[in-house]
Amino acid sequence: MSLQEKLDAFKADFEANKAPAAAVEAFHRSTRELIENGNAARALKAGDLAPEFTLSDSDSNLVSSRDLLAKGPLVLTFYRGVWCPYCNFDLQALEEVADDIRSRGASLIAISQQGASSSRKSQRNNNLSYPILTDQGGELAERFGLRWTLQPYVIEFFKLFKVDLPKIHNDDKWTLPMPARYVIDTDGTIAYAEVNPDYTRRPEPSDLFPVLDNLAIPARL
């Protein structure tokens, strides 16, 4: 099954058998408003310059985008958190191609607003070989144009499912990044960007291969 087929199957089962109808409607409404508000159009795109960053991994080690880009291109995935099953499917799919990404000279990292303990759980449960960095307060997501504030009517259903974002994020805000995947070239230019306000839709990881292959062509000439 493709990644999207797995997500579609999970969504169908969740909405039919696990979530109250009111919660399903709230989640749909929230996503619909995020789309209609044009949030994704304001996110950084291919051709834009990616902001530099230094963030902590789940073991409190500082990771610098400048250091990573000195070694080759960088693949970034912004995700919502360990509590999001759609994100976990996405992380697992990226892990399946992690060696293919690294064989093309690129680094792979995930970024979330969650704290280190949640990131360690994500890495353990999804058997990840790549690091998860903590974007405290969603400051980097904001610089990429990805951060948004949850609507009050949907917050109550997050609480129903025991997803307390301020506690998980160690801040006082109900904010999340839109799921996004970026490839950044060694000069800091964004070579590929995929941002979707519908968190149930994700691109196939293999979409990254032609981009990374293209970036590697000058090095082979």
Side-chain angles (χ1 to χ4, degrees), residues 103-153:
S103 72
R104 289 167 166 83
S107 300
L108 170 62
I109 60 175
I111 297 176
S112 172
Q113 290 178 222
Q114 67 190 11
S117 61
S118 293
S119 291
R120 285 193 292 271
K121 183 177 180 180
S122 286
Q123 289 173 292
R124 182 173 62 253
N125 291 353
N126 296 301
N127 296 310
L128 303 184
S129 63
Y130 55 91
I132 298 174
L133 309 185
T134 296
D135 179 20
Q136 185 62 48
E139 293 182 3
L140 183 61
E142 177 67 21
R143 292 166 68 195
F144 271 86
L146 302 172
R147 187 176 64 178
W148 64 287
T149 300
L150 276 68
Q151 305 93 333
Y153 65 80

Side-chain angles (χ1 to χ4, degrees), residues 182-199:
Y182 287 95
V183 175
I184 304 173
D185 200 356
T186 52
D187 65 357
T189 302
I190 296 173
Y192 168 94
E194 203 286 335
V195 180
N196 199 326
D198 183 350
Y199 61 89

Side-chain angles (χ1 to χ4, degrees), residues 88-106:
N88 289 320
F89 277 116
D90 192 42
L91 294 179
Q92 293 164 19
L94 284 168
E95 177 60 34
E96 290 176 2
V97 301
D99 286 341
D100 297 296
I101 290 172
R102 287 188 282 260
S103 72
R104 289 167 166 83

Side-chain angles (χ1 to χ4, degrees), residues 3 18 24 28 36 38 52-53 61 81 126 140-141 143 163 166 180 186 196 199 207:
L3 171 58
K18 296 182 173 63
V24 173
H28 285 190
E36 292 172 350
E52 291 188 1
F53 61 84
N61 300 308
N126 296 301
L140 183 61
R143 292 166 68 195
V163 180
T186 52
N196 199 326
Y199 61 89
D207 293 350

Side-chain angles (χ1 to χ4, degrees), residues 157-168:
F157 291 105
F158 270 66
K159 292 178 178 177
L160 175 68
F161 286 101
K162 303 187 185 306
V163 180
D164 185 341
L165 293 183
K167 182 177 181 180
I168 295 169

